[in-house]
Amino acid sequence: MTTLPFVSIIIAAHNCEKTIDATFDSLIKALGPAISESEIIIIDDGSEDSTAEKISAFAEKFTQVIISTVNYKNIGLVRQHGVALSQGQYITMLDSDDIIKAETLTPIFTFLHDVKPDMLLTRLHEIRDFNKINHQWSGLNPEKISQDQAITHFLIHKDLQAHLIGQFIKRNIYLKNEIPPMTCYEDFYIFPKMLTQATNIYFQFDSHYYYIKRHGSLSSSLDQDKIRNLLTCTIKMENDLPVKFRHLILCHWLDIYLKHYGSLIENDHRAIVKKHVVMTHSLGFFLNRYVRFSYKRKALSTLWKN
């Protein structure tokens, strides 16, 4: 009988011939002996360059590599396809242009075996300058946090963001949350609900994962579809999270208003955003100790405009 993998690593690949070699090499060096407990699912989504040839070479060298070829041109569909193929107890995701620090995954696998958390959440190390990449790591020192702490960390949006990459989440939680067919923000759509379904949660501050911030990335090139997805996800987050977090959720609405209101072309979207901005004009919002002063100041700046 074939032994099932312990961790499924899902990589969405699309026209990534320039980056996939370095990404895959970093993954192998990070895994070390833990590769024997892994399956590496690489999904080639309609690539038109040499991506297919490169990942085929990976599969020839490593039996743990599973290749699936699709033509979705949609990151949400690709990731959900990867989840459907996965067999591991835990799932983690890796972008095809990011880097994992060397020798980091073996201790993480050991921790997952020993502690069996619902989630091991990690802070991503965002980097723009490739010359600053090194593999220094202080080791695995995760802190057990409550569900409320995890949600608060996420909503404050500093150390923990709605990324599926770099996180280790039990597969059964993924199976309860279908990743939507979105071209962006697909992780934001399901992440808040996933937090409400986990109780045994750990957070690792010293990142094992380099999130490469490239020119023309999502946050610097928003179009109408992306803004629409952002609104959809923020509304879903508001519905999925307990009402006690409403003031921190309002901070996200403030950001949408201040950054993107001028780009909203649908009247109902404008009305939804303005409605939430008005909700920040309350004593409870200004007295909430978790709402950063910068957001209280932002709320004040909108007081006479709405």
Side-chain angles (χ1 to χ4, degrees), residues 17 47 55 88 102 104 109 127 144 146 166 181 184 187 190 211 260 279 281 296 299:
E17 64 178 7
S47 295
I55 62 178
T104 55
F109 278 40
I127 194 166
K144 184 173 175 59
S146 68
C184 66
D187 38 12
I190 66 169
Y211 174 47
H260 308 302
M279 292 169 66
H281 306 156
K296 294 172 182 177

Side-chain angles (χ1 to χ4, degrees), residues 18-275:
K18 295 180 179 179
T19 61
I20 189 67
D21 284 328
T23 295
F24 188 79
D25 182 61
S26 77
L27 172 60
I28 297 304
K29 290 178 179 176
L31 280 168
I35 192 171
S36 64
E37 297 185 280
S38 310
E39 63 176 356
I40 304 170
I41 302 171
I42 308 178
I43 303 162
D44 180 12
D45 185 18
S47 295
E48 298 168 342
D49 58 5
S50 64
T51 295
E53 290 81 359
K54 287 179 177 289
I55 62 178
S56 179
F58 302 156
E60 289 179 8
K61 189 173 181 180
F62 298 95
T63 59
Q64 292 82 8
V65 173
I66 300 166
I67 298 174
S68 181
T69 302
V70 298
N71 194 31
Y72 295 143
K73 305 293 177 64
N74 182 291
I75 185 63
L77 286 173
V78 170
R79 285 184 166 169
Q80 182 57 35
H81 180 63
V83 171
L85 294 175
S86 69
Q87 299 184 78
Q89 294 179 40
Y90 289 90
I91 292 175
T92 189
M93 298 200 182
L94 171 63
D95 276 352
S96 61
D97 59 353
D98 290 341
I99 299 293
I100 299 182
K101 294 179 181 179
E103 302 179 358
T104 55
L105 292 183
T106 294
I108 287 176
F109 278 40
T110 299
F111 175 81
L112 296 176
H113 272 298
D114 293 345
V115 179
K116 299 177 177 58
D118 295 326
M119 295 178 167
L120 171 60
L121 303 175
T122 69
R123 184 182 67 91
L124 302 185
H125 187 165
E126 185 177 299
I127 194 166
R128 297 173 187 269
D129 185 354
F130 287 76
N131 294 321
K132 293 183 179 179
I133 290 180
N134 60 57
H135 292 272
Q136 294 180 358
W137 194 50
S138 63
L140 186 66
N141 300 288
E143 171 192 2
K144 184 173 175 59
I145 59 176
S146 68
Q147 184 185 90
D148 280 2
Q149 287 174 314
I151 294 172
T152 300
H153 275 310
F154 160 66
L155 289 173
I156 291 175
H157 206 64
K158 184 177 181 182
D159 296 331
L160 180 61
Q161 301 180 23
H163 290 298
L164 298 176
I165 54 173
Q167 316 298 357
F168 299 84
I169 300 173
K170 279 190 172 178
R171 181 170 172 269
N172 62 7
I173 294 178
Y174 268 100
L175 296 180
K176 296 175 186 175
N177 297 276
E178 183 174 350
I179 301 172
M182 290 180 169
T183 56
C184 66
Y185 292 119
E186 78 291 340
D187 38 12
F188 182 18
Y189 187 86
I190 66 169
F191 192 68
K193 185 67 173 180
M194 294 173 97
L195 290 175
T196 69
Q197 296 167 341
T199 54
N200 190 17
I201 305 173
Y202 284 79
F203 176 68
Q204 166 74 15
F205 182 81
D206 188 5
S207 179
H208 72 293
Y209 191 109
Y210 280 114
Y211 174 47
I212 312 297
K213 194 78 168 179
R214 299 177 188 275
H215 178 70
S217 65
L218 175 68
S219 60
S220 59
S221 58
L222 287 180
D223 56 26
Q224 285 300 314
D225 285 340
K226 292 174 183 177
I227 294 174
R228 190 177 296 110
N229 285 351
L230 177 60
L231 289 174
T232 298
C233 292
T234 307
I235 291 169
K236 185 173 184 296
M237 173 175 67
E238 190 170 58
N239 293 332
D240 286 343
L241 294 181
V243 68
K244 61 185 173 182
F245 295 104
R246 65 188 183 278
H247 292 137
L248 285 175
I249 295 170
L250 287 175
C251 295
H252 289 252
W253 285 109
L254 267 175
D255 277 336
I256 293 173
Y257 176 77
L258 294 171
K259 295 177 181 178
H260 308 302
Y261 186 78
S263 300
L264 298 176
I265 59 176
E266 297 180 31
N267 289 334
D268 57 336
H269 289 168
R270 286 176 166 251
I272 290 170
V273 174
K274 290 191 74 170
K275 168 190 168 185

